[in-house]
Amino acid sequence: MDQSNQAAANSADIVSDIISTIRVSLRCEMTYPEAKKCGAAAGQALSNMATNNKPLQRQLMESEIRDCKSPIESIYVYLLASTNSKTNMAGLMLILNTIKDDDSLSKLLCTTETGQMLAGRVGEMFGESNDDEADEKTMLYVILEEIIQRGHLTLLLTTDPALEAYGLLNALAVYCNENPGSLVCSQIFDMSLLTAIARILTKCHDLLQNVWKSADDTELGDVGMDDIMAAHRSLASTVTILGTITTDIEQQLAVRVLDSGIIQQVIALLGLLSQNLPRIEKASTASTLPETESGLIKRLFMFKCSLIQIIGNISHNNTAAQNLIRELHGLALVLDHMRIDDNHPFIKEYAVVALRSLLENNPTSQAYVSDMEAKGVVQDPKLASAGIQASLDSSGHISVKREASTNTFNVKENSGT
């Protein structure tokens, strides 16, 4: 539609008629197949009218996003809630054309109640889509990419990000893989976004801790399966993101990562998984996890290799990171994984690479490893405050365990670096 026709349509109030048609049609699309077709046609007409029509785009964003009193009544929400994929595509095209190259409208989408609900729905659709070649998934990603590039993703994750935001995290993981440059990562990952990621890791840790709190390892605690799957998807995307941005990380970004609390949560998660995911060291040993609900859940959280990789990445040529990880007992955890584990293939190799980064040009950490000989174990106050105790067995192995837990993870004696 050319500009003269757009102006004529606007002045004739055709837009209002189309919006009314969309609402009426989509309310009864489940009952009347013809209504579904009518809604799709009206949605496509609205999308076409708004293409390259900035006044109409702004008008729709203000009336249907900013000033909308009931988010579920927004015409954008109607279009994305339809069971007709053509209607969905019309809605997505309308959103993309509106926010593309327009920082103010993109921010409006991410700061209003209706806009955040809409953007969250776009994230959910992206996370739930399994067809990477589908036009709809491509459109979903392009919308989320626009939000990410403008630095507005943090506005959607808010100060208390939900694990159900895994679709947004999945899009961010894809973006990081497609734009791995340190400069791009440094620009996107400001302190607010990194802090939000740290909170997501904390939520995953707390949920898993609740899942595995049962002493007999047969129940899931007070956690539902939907929450567990959301945590799995969020954690999978988050470790992918962190693995990418910490590879050859730029110094300024590394400082922000350390200040955000992410490394503390990475180490806490690695410790929790070490306690609850059994190590299988011999082929003759039964490598199957117990056929309980908790055992089945454990198969979803095989992230120890990824967490060790993140620790190794952030500590490479970074004395501050090396010292922090040692003080948080992450070095001991990495040493503990320098053994074969059939449940985590190549985890020993991951640990060896991480250990090299943790010890390189750091005499204090090198001495820490050298001192882990059969000399007895002095309890560290910080270790004790974290609910962890260390002891030495008769064979010269250090056993590290959490209080009130029968699960332990062993750190093999080391005589040097």
Side-chain angles (χ1 to χ4, degrees):
M1 183 179 288
D2 58 33
Q3 291 184 350
S4 60
N5 288 334
Q6 288 176 345
N10 291 346
S11 63
D13 210 21
I14 293 177
V15 173
S16 296
D17 291 338
I18 292 176
I19 290 176
S20 296
T21 300
I22 292 172
R23 286 198 171 101
V24 172
S25 299
L26 297 185
R27 282 171 182 162
C28 56
E29 68 172 356
M30 298 298 292
T31 305
Y32 303 104
E34 292 303 317
K36 179 184 292 188
K37 294 179 182 179
C38 183
Q44 290 171 337
L46 181 62
S47 179
N48 290 340
M49 289 182 63
T51 301
N52 297 322
N53 187 342
K54 187 54 66 177
L56 178 55
Q57 292 172 3
R58 184 167 294 278
Q59 174 191 329
L60 289 172
M61 284 293 285
E62 291 175 352
S63 62
E64 299 294 328
I65 297 293
R66 187 192 66 187
D67 301 330
C68 185
K69 295 181 180 179
S70 176
I72 61 174
E73 288 300 315
S74 168
I75 198 63
Y76 294 95
V77 175
Y78 267 87
L79 293 171
L80 295 194
S82 172
T83 58
N84 190 330
S85 60
K86 292 182 179 180
T87 308
N88 298 154
M89 281 295 289
L92 294 173
M93 183 62 74
L94 180 60
I95 296 170
L96 177 60
N97 287 335
T98 299
I99 68 172
K100 189 171 180 60
D101 301 323
D102 193 318
D103 189 75
S104 63
L105 293 184
S106 174
K107 190 171 183 179
L108 182 63
L109 177 69
C110 298
T111 53
T112 58
E113 180 184 2
T114 302
Q116 289 181 341
M117 176 181 172
L118 183 65
R121 177 55 187 156
V122 171
E124 288 176 9
M125 292 171 69
F126 182 79
E128 292 168 357
S129 176
N130 295 319
D131 186 357
D132 292 339
E133 303 300 323
D135 291 340
E136 181 179 289
K137 186 157 189 177
T138 300
M139 183 71 69
L140 290 163
Y141 175 70
V142 174
I143 293 172
L144 295 173
E145 181 183 39
E146 186 75 18
I147 292 172
I148 292 168
Q149 288 177 334
R150 296 193 174 280
H152 295 158
L153 184 61
T154 306
L155 300 174
L156 298 177
L157 294 176
T158 70
T159 56
D160 187 24
L163 294 180
E164 290 75 10
Y166 56 81
L168 299 174
L169 295 171
N170 190 9
L172 182 57
V174 173
Y175 181 83
C176 290
N177 286 332
E178 294 185 350
N179 303 274
S182 59
L183 179 60
V184 173
C185 290
S186 184
Q187 292 172 341
I188 296 297
F189 288 87
D190 59 14
M191 197 63 187
S192 297
L193 181 54
L194 291 171
T195 301
I197 289 174
R199 291 194 183 100
I200 289 169
L201 291 173
T202 301
K203 284 177 174 285
C204 290
H205 175 276
D206 293 347
L207 181 142
L208 288 174
Q209 194 170 48
N210 193 23
V211 167
W212 292 325
K213 70 181 181 181
S214 175
D216 61 6
D217 197 36
T218 60
E219 300 177 358
L220 300 183
D222 301 323
V223 184
M225 183 57 70
D226 288 344
D227 292 333
I228 291 171
M229 291 304 303
H232 169 258
R233 291 173 175 175
S234 294
L235 187 54
S237 295
T238 302
V239 297
T240 299
I241 292 166
L242 294 176
T244 302
I245 69 171
T246 57
T247 300
D248 299 323
I249 190 170
E250 186 261 343
Q251 184 177 3
Q252 188 177 17
L253 178 56
V255 171
R256 291 202 292 267
V257 170
L258 294 180
D259 291 342
S260 68
I262 283 176
I263 297 305
Q264 287 88 333
Q265 297 308 318
V266 166
I267 292 172
L269 270 167
L270 180 58
L272 182 65
L273 296 181
S274 297
Q275 289 179 336
N276 291 280
L277 302 184
R279 177 186 288 110
I280 306 300
E281 298 187 43
K282 297 180 181 179
S284 60
T285 305
S287 59
T288 56
L289 290 164
E291 293 300 326
T292 62
E293 284 186 318
S294 183
L296 293 173
I297 297 307
K298 288 176 181 179
R299 293 189 177 90
L300 292 173
F301 292 92
M302 298 293 190
F303 294 117
K304 290 200 288 186
C305 288
S306 297
L307 295 172
I308 290 172
Q309 181 184 32
I310 294 167
I311 290 172
N313 286 349
I314 194 66
S315 61
H316 181 63
N317 292 329
N318 190 327
T319 303
Q322 293 170 342
N323 292 339
L324 176 63
I325 292 167
R326 183 188 66 250
E327 292 166 3
L328 294 171
H329 314 291
L331 177 54
L333 275 172
V334 171
L335 284 167
D336 178 53
H337 290 88
M338 293 183 64
R339 289 182 285 174
I340 294 173
D341 181 0
D342 285 350
N343 273 336
H344 294 81
F346 305 111
I347 195 169
K348 180 178 179 180
E349 287 74 15
Y350 276 88
V352 168
V353 173
L355 184 63
R356 183 182 299 115
S357 295
L358 287 164
L359 300 184
E360 188 174 16
N361 299 321
N362 193 313
T364 303
S365 292
Q366 294 171 10
Y368 175 90
V369 175
S370 297
D371 288 344
M372 293 178 72
E373 298 175 349
K375 299 177 181 177
V377 176
V378 177
Q379 297 296 335
D380 188 303
K382 292 182 179 179
L383 195 65
S385 66
I388 300 174
Q389 290 186 332
S391 60
L392 190 70
D393 63 24
S394 59
S395 62
H397 291 73
I398 296 174
S399 175
V400 184
K401 68 178 182 179
R402 290 187 183 274
E403 294 178 349
S405 173
T406 58
N407 298 309
T408 64
F409 51 93
N410 296 320
V411 181
K412 190 174 182 180
E413 174 187 345
N414 288 272
S415 58
T417 61

